[in-house]
Amino acid sequence: MSEKLVVAAVQPRVLDGDVEANVASHAEAIVSADARLVVFPELSLTGYRADAQPVDLADGAMERLVKACAATRSIALIGAPVETSGGRFIAMVRVDAAGVNVVYRKTFLSGEECRHFAAGDGPRAIEVDGWQVGMGICRDTGIDEHVRGTAALGVDVYVCGVVHHETELAEQQRRGRSIAAVCDASVVMASFAGSTGGGFTKTAGRSAIWATDGTLLAEADACPGGMARTTLERSATENS
């Protein structure tokens, strides 16, 4: 079990609908972050569009992300639309040296999303070096049922990818602090920066990382290419 975990919330440069270009910017972000756990915004591989076509996770282009993670020993959690036998989902996709797989599906959908995607099946956590990592995507982060359900999994860290309007920054920050309190966990929130679909001409950016007590540990600016990065450490209570 690792006593420390280097985490980063990144804001890649995203071109709506250009998966190949976005794979390249994601790979660059992974290398630049040089963190064990790298978190990306909602639908970062395609840009935020409710009608975004599912990404083929088996496509050879994804190998560039695998190689970037292998080079830095990183685990990247990337936002992408996916299609499985259960339907289409807004997903959080895990990429590491071993390959690519879906680890979480957005549970609480918003507006137009309901016409194009199915709801996921609730809170999930993955293990990273002995740390339990809970996950959420955008609207999930403001739903008490989701946050408390994730807390019940005994998570050490809560990670999420979001897309918010510039005017929603205060709510984004409030959610980060609230999740930390409810889950008694650090929070790593990757927030989309730059313009994208769905009417998001000015997104909030300001990806951030909070400690379990709600203290802000790191924060990016509002621009594409920004990053929040820090090293999380287990408390004395957790070590006892």
Side-chain angles (χ1 to χ4, degrees), residues 142-180:
I143 303 297
D144 184 69
E145 177 185 343
H146 166 79
V147 177
R148 293 193 179 280
T150 305
L153 300 177
V155 298
D156 304 298
V157 186
Y158 179 101
V159 303
C160 52
V162 304
V163 181
H164 286 143
H165 291 286
E166 180 182 52
T167 55
E168 296 174 310
L169 177 60
E171 172 63 13
Q172 175 174 297
Q173 295 169 333
R174 184 200 67 78
R175 289 187 188 183
R177 296 188 297 268
S178 176
I179 292 167

mmCIF file of all heavy atoms in Angstrom, residues 142-180:
data_model
loop_
_atom_site.group_PDB
_atom_site.id
_atom_site.type_symbol
_atom_site.label_atom_id
_atom_site.label_comp_id
_atom_site.label_asym_id
_atom_site.label_seq_id
_atom_site.Cartn_x
_atom_site.Cartn_y
_atom_site.Cartn_z
ATOM 1 N N GLY A 142 -23.458 16.550 -8.056
ATOM 2 C CA GLY A 142 -24.420 17.370 -7.317
ATOM 3 C C GLY A 142 -25.605 16.591 -6.800
ATOM 4 O O GLY A 142 -26.549 17.177 -6.263
ATOM 5 N N ILE A 143 -25.568 15.253 -6.933
ATOM 6 C CA ILE A 143 -26.681 14.407 -6.507
ATOM 7 C C ILE A 143 -26.317 13.702 -5.204
ATOM 8 O O ILE A 143 -25.381 12.891 -5.156
ATOM 9 C CB ILE A 143 -27.030 13.362 -7.585
ATOM 10 C CG1 ILE A 143 -27.367 14.055 -8.909
ATOM 11 C CG2 ILE A 143 -28.185 12.488 -7.128
ATOM 12 C CD1 ILE A 143 -28.591 14.943 -8.870
ATOM 13 N N ASP A 144 -27.049 14.015 -4.163
ATOM 14 C CA ASP A 144 -26.748 13.468 -2.835
ATOM 15 C C ASP A 144 -26.712 11.939 -2.842
ATOM 16 O O ASP A 144 -25.834 11.330 -2.221
ATOM 17 C CB ASP A 144 -27.795 13.966 -1.834
ATOM 18 C CG ASP A 144 -27.495 13.533 -0.413
ATOM 19 O OD1 ASP A 144 -26.510 14.031 0.161
ATOM 20 O OD2 ASP A 144 -28.232 12.680 0.119
ATOM 21 N N GLU A 145 -27.648 11.319 -3.546
ATOM 22 C CA GLU A 145 -27.689 9.853 -3.599
ATOM 23 C C GLU A 145 -26.381 9.275 -4.145
ATOM 24 O O GLU A 145 -25.866 8.271 -3.632
ATOM 25 C CB GLU A 145 -28.859 9.418 -4.485
ATOM 26 C CG GLU A 145 -28.976 7.911 -4.683
ATOM 27 C CD GLU A 145 -30.078 7.542 -5.666
ATOM 28 O OE1 GLU A 145 -30.946 8.395 -5.952
ATOM 29 O OE2 GLU A 145 -30.057 6.402 -6.161
ATOM 30 N N HIS A 146 -25.854 9.902 -5.175
ATOM 31 C CA HIS A 146 -24.599 9.422 -5.760
ATOM 32 C C HIS A 146 -23.427 9.625 -4.806
ATOM 33 O O HIS A 146 -22.611 8.721 -4.592
ATOM 34 C CB HIS A 146 -24.306 10.141 -7.076
ATOM 35 C CG HIS A 146 -22.902 9.947 -7.543
ATOM 36 N ND1 HIS A 146 -22.483 8.810 -8.180
ATOM 37 C CD2 HIS A 146 -21.801 10.737 -7.401
ATOM 38 C CE1 HIS A 146 -21.191 8.897 -8.432
ATOM 39 N NE2 HIS A 146 -20.759 10.058 -7.970
ATOM 40 N N VAL A 147 -23.325 10.819 -4.244
ATOM 41 C CA VAL A 147 -22.173 11.130 -3.394
ATOM 42 C C VAL A 147 -22.167 10.248 -2.152
ATOM 43 O O VAL A 147 -21.135 9.680 -1.776
ATOM 44 C CB VAL A 147 -22.166 12.624 -3.016
ATOM 45 C CG1 VAL A 147 -21.016 12.929 -2.065
ATOM 46 C CG2 VAL A 147 -22.044 13.491 -4.276
ATOM 47 N N ARG A 148 -23.337 10.085 -1.516
ATOM 48 C CA ARG A 148 -23.391 9.244 -0.326
ATOM 49 C C ARG A 148 -23.177 7.773 -0.673
ATOM 50 O O ARG A 148 -22.565 7.025 0.093
ATOM 51 C CB ARG A 148 -24.723 9.443 0.397
ATOM 52 C CG ARG A 148 -24.866 10.830 0.995
ATOM 53 C CD ARG A 148 -26.016 10.961 1.983
ATOM 54 N NE ARG A 148 -26.071 12.307 2.533
ATOM 55 C CZ ARG A 148 -25.295 12.745 3.518
ATOM 56 N NH1 ARG A 148 -24.409 11.924 4.069
ATOM 57 N NH2 ARG A 148 -25.400 13.986 3.963
ATOM 58 N N GLY A 149 -23.657 7.360 -1.835
ATOM 59 C CA GLY A 149 -23.418 5.985 -2.269
ATOM 60 C C GLY A 149 -21.953 5.717 -2.514
ATOM 61 O O GLY A 149 -21.438 4.627 -2.204
ATOM 62 N N THR A 150 -21.257 6.694 -3.039
ATOM 63 C CA THR A 150 -19.815 6.549 -3.255
ATOM 64 C C THR A 150 -19.076 6.556 -1.926
ATOM 65 O O THR A 150 -18.142 5.769 -1.720
ATOM 66 C CB THR A 150 -19.303 7.678 -4.164
ATOM 67 O OG1 THR A 150 -20.054 7.693 -5.382
ATOM 68 C CG2 THR A 150 -17.834 7.465 -4.502
ATOM 69 N N ALA A 151 -19.496 7.415 -1.021
ATOM 70 C CA ALA A 151 -18.883 7.447 0.312
ATOM 71 C C ALA A 151 -18.999 6.095 1.007
ATOM 72 O O ALA A 151 -18.078 5.654 1.706
ATOM 73 C CB ALA A 151 -19.545 8.532 1.164
ATOM 74 N N ALA A 152 -20.131 5.411 0.799
ATOM 75 C CA ALA A 152 -20.364 4.111 1.439
ATOM 76 C C ALA A 152 -19.390 3.041 0.952
ATOM 77 O O ALA A 152 -19.251 1.985 1.597
ATOM 78 C CB ALA A 152 -21.795 3.658 1.182
ATOM 79 N N LEU A 153 -18.716 3.296 -0.157
ATOM 80 C CA LEU A 153 -17.717 2.351 -0.667
ATOM 81 C C LEU A 153 -16.385 2.469 0.071
ATOM 82 O O LEU A 153 -15.457 1.703 -0.194
ATOM 83 C CB LEU A 153 -17.497 2.577 -2.167
ATOM 84 C CG LEU A 153 -18.719 2.393 -3.065
ATOM 85 C CD1 LEU A 153 -18.364 2.724 -4.511
ATOM 86 C CD2 LEU A 153 -19.265 0.977 -2.963
ATOM 87 N N GLY A 154 -16.299 3.439 0.975
ATOM 88 C CA GLY A 154 -15.076 3.604 1.759
ATOM 89 C C GLY A 154 -13.931 4.175 0.955
ATOM 90 O O GLY A 154 -12.783 3.729 1.086
ATOM 91 N N VAL A 155 -14.217 5.179 0.134
ATOM 92 C CA VAL A 155 -13.197 5.700 -0.758
ATOM 93 C C VAL A 155 -12.208 6.622 -0.041
ATOM 94 O O VAL A 155 -12.547 7.290 0.935
ATOM 95 C CB VAL A 155 -13.829 6.454 -1.952
ATOM 96 C CG1 VAL A 155 -14.684 5.491 -2.771
ATOM 97 C CG2 VAL A 155 -14.667 7.645 -1.497
ATOM 98 N N ASP A 156 -10.979 6.629 -0.535
ATOM 99 C CA ASP A 156 -9.934 7.532 -0.050
ATOM 100 C C ASP A 156 -9.854 8.785 -0.910
ATOM 101 O O ASP A 156 -9.431 9.845 -0.446
ATOM 102 C CB ASP A 156 -8.567 6.835 -0.085
ATOM 103 C CG ASP A 156 -8.547 5.537 0.695
ATOM 104 O OD1 ASP A 156 -8.761 5.587 1.925
ATOM 105 O OD2 ASP A 156 -8.324 4.477 0.088
ATOM 106 N N VAL A 157 -10.229 8.637 -2.170
ATOM 107 C CA VAL A 157 -10.180 9.725 -3.138
ATOM 108 C C VAL A 157 -11.446 9.662 -3.990
ATOM 109 O O VAL A 157 -11.902 8.565 -4.343
ATOM 110 C CB VAL A 157 -8.951 9.615 -4.076
ATOM 111 C CG1 VAL A 157 -8.850 10.838 -4.988
ATOM 112 C CG2 VAL A 157 -7.667 9.424 -3.295
ATOM 113 N N TYR A 158 -12.003 10.814 -4.320
ATOM 114 C CA TYR A 158 -13.130 10.896 -5.251
ATOM 115 C C TYR A 158 -12.647 11.678 -6.459
ATOM 116 O O TYR A 158 -12.178 12.811 -6.323
ATOM 117 C CB TYR A 158 -14.307 11.609 -4.589
ATOM 118 C CG TYR A 158 -15.529 11.782 -5.470
ATOM 119 C CD1 TYR A 158 -16.635 10.944 -5.340
ATOM 120 C CD2 TYR A 158 -15.596 12.798 -6.427
ATOM 121 C CE1 TYR A 158 -17.766 11.109 -6.138
ATOM 122 C CE2 TYR A 158 -16.722 12.972 -7.225
ATOM 123 C CZ TYR A 158 -17.795 12.123 -7.073
ATOM 124 O OH TYR A 158 -18.911 12.292 -7.866
ATOM 125 N N VAL A 159 -12.740 11.084 -7.648
ATOM 126 C CA VAL A 159 -12.318 11.771 -8.864
ATOM 127 C C VAL A 159 -13.525 12.001 -9.769
ATOM 128 O O VAL A 159 -14.453 11.188 -9.799
ATOM 129 C CB VAL A 159 -11.225 10.989 -9.616
ATOM 130 C CG1 VAL A 159 -10.024 10.735 -8.719
ATOM 131 C CG2 VAL A 159 -11.754 9.675 -10.164
ATOM 132 N N CYS A 160 -13.507 13.100 -10.505
ATOM 133 C CA CYS A 160 -14.643 13.392 -11.384
ATOM 134 C C CYS A 160 -14.206 14.258 -12.550
ATOM 135 O O CYS A 160 -13.269 15.050 -12.452
ATOM 136 C CB CYS A 160 -15.769 14.071 -10.611
ATOM 137 S SG CYS A 160 -15.263 15.519 -9.649
ATOM 138 N N GLY A 161 -14.921 14.076 -13.671
ATOM 139 C CA GLY A 161 -14.750 14.918 -14.836
ATOM 140 C C GLY A 161 -16.025 15.704 -15.048
ATOM 141 O O GLY A 161 -17.125 15.131 -15.029
ATOM 142 N N VAL A 162 -15.914 17.021 -15.249
ATOM 143 C CA VAL A 162 -17.104 17.864 -15.353
ATOM 144 C C VAL A 162 -16.987 18.831 -16.525
ATOM 145 O O VAL A 162 -15.894 19.109 -17.027
ATOM 146 C CB VAL A 162 -17.349 18.666 -14.049
ATOM 147 C CG1 VAL A 162 -17.447 17.726 -12.851
ATOM 148 C CG2 VAL A 162 -16.265 19.699 -13.819
ATOM 149 N N VAL A 163 -18.135 19.344 -16.964
ATOM 150 C CA VAL A 163 -18.216 20.457 -17.914
ATOM 151 C C VAL A 163 -19.178 21.470 -17.323
ATOM 152 O O VAL A 163 -20.366 21.172 -17.152
ATOM 153 C CB VAL A 163 -18.728 20.011 -19.301
ATOM 154 C CG1 VAL A 163 -18.779 21.204 -20.250
ATOM 155 C CG2 VAL A 163 -17.852 18.916 -19.886
ATOM 156 N N HIS A 164 -18.682 22.646 -16.987
ATOM 157 C CA HIS A 164 -19.518 23.687 -16.402
ATOM 158 C C HIS A 164 -19.350 25.001 -17.144
ATOM 159 O O HIS A 164 -18.271 25.302 -17.674
ATOM 160 C CB HIS A 164 -19.150 23.912 -14.926
ATOM 161 C CG HIS A 164 -19.623 22.834 -14.014
ATOM 162 N ND1 HIS A 164 -18.898 22.397 -12.926
ATOM 163 C CD2 HIS A 164 -20.760 22.084 -14.022
ATOM 164 C CE1 HIS A 164 -19.569 21.444 -12.298
ATOM 165 N NE2 HIS A 164 -20.689 21.247 -12.952
ATOM 166 N N HIS A 165 -20.422 25.783 -17.175
ATOM 167 C CA HIS A 165 -20.334 27.136 -17.709
ATOM 168 C C HIS A 165 -19.434 27.981 -16.801
ATOM 169 O O HIS A 165 -19.302 27.718 -15.596
ATOM 170 C CB HIS A 165 -21.720 27.782 -17.777
ATOM 171 C CG HIS A 165 -22.622 27.173 -18.807
ATOM 172 N ND1 HIS A 165 -22.470 27.391 -20.153
ATOM 173 C CD2 HIS A 165 -23.698 26.339 -18.671
ATOM 174 C CE1 HIS A 165 -23.405 26.726 -20.817
ATOM 175 N NE2 HIS A 165 -24.163 26.079 -19.943
ATOM 176 N N GLU A 166 -18.858 29.016 -17.370
ATOM 177 C CA GLU A 166 -18.023 29.944 -16.612
ATOM 178 C C GLU A 166 -18.777 30.492 -15.401
ATOM 179 O O GLU A 166 -18.210 30.683 -14.318
ATOM 180 C CB GLU A 166 -17.600 31.080 -17.542
ATOM 181 C CG GLU A 166 -16.723 32.139 -16.943
ATOM 182 C CD GLU A 166 -16.416 33.233 -17.944
ATOM 183 O OE1 GLU A 166 -17.380 33.770 -18.552
ATOM 184 O OE2 GLU A 166 -15.231 33.537 -18.134
ATOM 185 N N THR A 167 -20.076 30.712 -15.567
ATOM 186 C CA THR A 167 -20.897 31.276 -14.494
ATOM 187 C C THR A 167 -21.197 30.269 -13.382
ATOM 188 O O THR A 167 -21.751 30.640 -12.354
ATOM 189 C CB THR A 167 -22.228 31.794 -15.060
ATOM 190 O OG1 THR A 167 -22.877 30.725 -15.782
ATOM 191 C CG2 THR A 167 -21.994 32.963 -16.002
ATOM 192 N N GLU A 168 -20.847 28.996 -13.593
ATOM 193 C CA GLU A 168 -21.114 27.955 -12.608
ATOM 194 C C GLU A 168 -19.885 27.613 -11.758
ATOM 195 O O GLU A 168 -19.894 26.633 -11.021
ATOM 196 C CB GLU A 168 -21.597 26.680 -13.313
ATOM 197 C CG GLU A 168 -22.922 26.858 -14.046
ATOM 198 C CD GLU A 168 -23.320 25.642 -14.859
ATOM 199 O OE1 GLU A 168 -22.477 25.138 -15.635
ATOM 200 O OE2 GLU A 168 -24.479 25.193 -14.720
ATOM 201 N N LEU A 169 -18.857 28.436 -11.837
ATOM 202 C CA LEU A 169 -17.622 28.137 -11.113
ATOM 203 C C LEU A 169 -17.846 28.016 -9.610
ATOM 204 O O LEU A 169 -17.314 27.107 -8.961
ATOM 205 C CB LEU A 169 -16.561 29.200 -11.402
ATOM 206 C CG LEU A 169 -15.236 29.035 -10.649
ATOM 207 C CD1 LEU A 169 -14.577 27.703 -10.986
ATOM 208 C CD2 LEU A 169 -14.293 30.197 -10.978
ATOM 209 N N ALA A 170 -18.634 28.918 -9.029
ATOM 210 C CA ALA A 170 -18.863 28.876 -7.581
ATOM 211 C C ALA A 170 -19.527 27.560 -7.174
ATOM 212 O O ALA A 170 -19.186 26.959 -6.151
ATOM 213 C CB ALA A 170 -19.717 30.059 -7.136
ATOM 214 N N GLU A 171 -20.483 27.077 -7.991
ATOM 215 C CA GLU A 171 -21.136 25.809 -7.703
ATOM 216 C C GLU A 171 -20.156 24.653 -7.864
ATOM 217 O O GLU A 171 -20.168 23.704 -7.067
ATOM 218 C CB GLU A 171 -22.335 25.617 -8.641
ATOM 219 C CG GLU A 171 -22.999 24.243 -8.579
ATOM 220 C CD GLU A 171 -23.607 23.905 -7.222
ATOM 221 O OE1 GLU A 171 -23.740 24.817 -6.366
ATOM 222 O OE2 GLU A 171 -23.951 22.723 -7.020
ATOM 223 N N GLN A 172 -19.310 24.718 -8.871
ATOM 224 C CA GLN A 172 -18.284 23.687 -9.061
ATOM 225 C C GLN A 172 -17.404 23.578 -7.818
ATOM 226 O O GLN A 172 -17.141 22.475 -7.314
ATOM 227 C CB GLN A 172 -17.428 24.072 -10.278
ATOM 228 C CG GLN A 172 -16.245 23.156 -10.542
ATOM 229 C CD GLN A 172 -15.561 23.525 -11.847
ATOM 230 O OE1 GLN A 172 -16.171 23.426 -12.912
ATOM 231 N NE2 GLN A 172 -14.308 23.948 -11.798
ATOM 232 N N GLN A 173 -16.974 24.699 -7.309
ATOM 233 C CA GLN A 173 -16.102 24.703 -6.130
ATOM 234 C C GLN A 173 -16.847 24.243 -4.880
ATOM 235 O O GLN A 173 -16.287 23.526 -4.039
ATOM 236 C CB GLN A 173 -15.516 26.101 -5.941
ATOM 237 C CG GLN A 173 -14.589 26.501 -7.092
ATOM 238 C CD GLN A 173 -14.194 27.959 -7.068
ATOM 239 O OE1 GLN A 173 -14.931 28.820 -6.543
ATOM 240 N NE2 GLN A 173 -13.050 28.290 -7.634
ATOM 241 N N ARG A 174 -18.118 24.631 -4.775
ATOM 242 C CA ARG A 174 -18.912 24.186 -3.633
ATOM 243 C C ARG A 174 -19.039 22.672 -3.634
ATOM 244 O O ARG A 174 -18.929 22.024 -2.591
ATOM 245 C CB ARG A 174 -20.311 24.816 -3.674
ATOM 246 C CG ARG A 174 -21.180 24.486 -2.449
ATOM 247 C CD ARG A 174 -22.653 24.680 -2.710
ATOM 248 N NE ARG A 174 -23.190 23.721 -3.687
ATOM 249 C CZ ARG A 174 -23.476 22.452 -3.389
ATOM 250 N NH1 ARG A 174 -23.280 21.973 -2.165
ATOM 251 N NH2 ARG A 174 -23.973 21.657 -4.321
ATOM 252 N N ARG A 175 -19.276 22.087 -4.808
ATOM 253 C CA ARG A 175 -19.412 20.637 -4.898
ATOM 254 C C ARG A 175 -18.125 19.936 -4.479
ATOM 255 O O ARG A 175 -18.164 18.908 -3.797
ATOM 256 C CB ARG A 175 -19.794 20.233 -6.318
ATOM 257 C CG ARG A 175 -21.212 20.612 -6.709
ATOM 258 C CD ARG A 175 -21.566 20.015 -8.064
ATOM 259 N NE ARG A 175 -22.837 20.514 -8.557
ATOM 260 C CZ ARG A 175 -23.407 20.104 -9.679
ATOM 261 N NH1 ARG A 175 -22.790 19.185 -10.430
ATOM 262 N NH2 ARG A 175 -24.571 20.604 -10.064
ATOM 263 N N GLY A 176 -16.994 20.470 -4.896
ATOM 264 C CA GLY A 176 -15.732 19.850 -4.515
ATOM 265 C C GLY A 176 -15.574 19.765 -3.011
ATOM 266 O O GLY A 176 -15.229 18.714 -2.458
ATOM 267 N N ARG A 177 -15.864 20.861 -2.327
ATOM 268 C CA ARG A 177 -15.742 20.883 -0.862
ATOM 269 C C ARG A 177 -16.778 19.981 -0.208
ATOM 270 O O ARG A 177 -16.487 19.276 0.771
ATOM 271 C CB ARG A 177 -15.881 22.315 -0.350
ATOM 272 C CG ARG A 177 -14.771 23.258 -0.812
ATOM 273 C CD ARG A 177 -14.856 24.596 -0.107
ATOM 274 N NE ARG A 177 -16.097 25.298 -0.406
ATOM 275 C CZ ARG A 177 -16.245 26.164 -1.402
ATOM 276 N NH1 ARG A 177 -15.239 26.428 -2.219
ATOM 277 N NH2 ARG A 177 -17.406 26.787 -1.592
ATOM 278 N N SER A 178 -17.990 19.983 -0.737
ATOM 279 C CA SER A 178 -19.060 19.161 -0.171
ATOM 280 C C SER A 178 -18.762 17.681 -0.310
ATOM 281 O O SER A 178 -18.961 16.899 0.634
ATOM 282 C CB SER A 178 -20.390 19.493 -0.865
ATOM 283 O OG SER A 178 -21.426 18.649 -0.404
ATOM 284 N N ILE A 179 -18.273 17.273 -1.469
ATOM 285 C CA ILE A 179 -17.942 15.854 -1.675
ATOM 286 C C ILE A 179 -16.839 15.427 -0.716
ATOM 287 O O ILE A 179 -16.890 14.337 -0.147
ATOM 288 C CB ILE A 179 -17.522 15.621 -3.142
ATOM 289 C CG1 ILE A 179 -18.722 15.806 -4.075
ATOM 290 C CG2 ILE A 179 -16.939 14.214 -3.329
ATOM 291 C CD1 ILE A 179 -18.351 15.906 -5.537
ATOM 292 N N ALA A 180 -15.844 16.289 -0.523
ATOM 293 C CA ALA A 180 -14.761 15.970 0.415
ATOM 294 C C ALA A 180 -15.323 15.706 1.810
ATOM 295 O O ALA A 180 -14.925 14.745 2.488
ATOM 296 C CB ALA A 180 -13.744 17.110 0.456
#
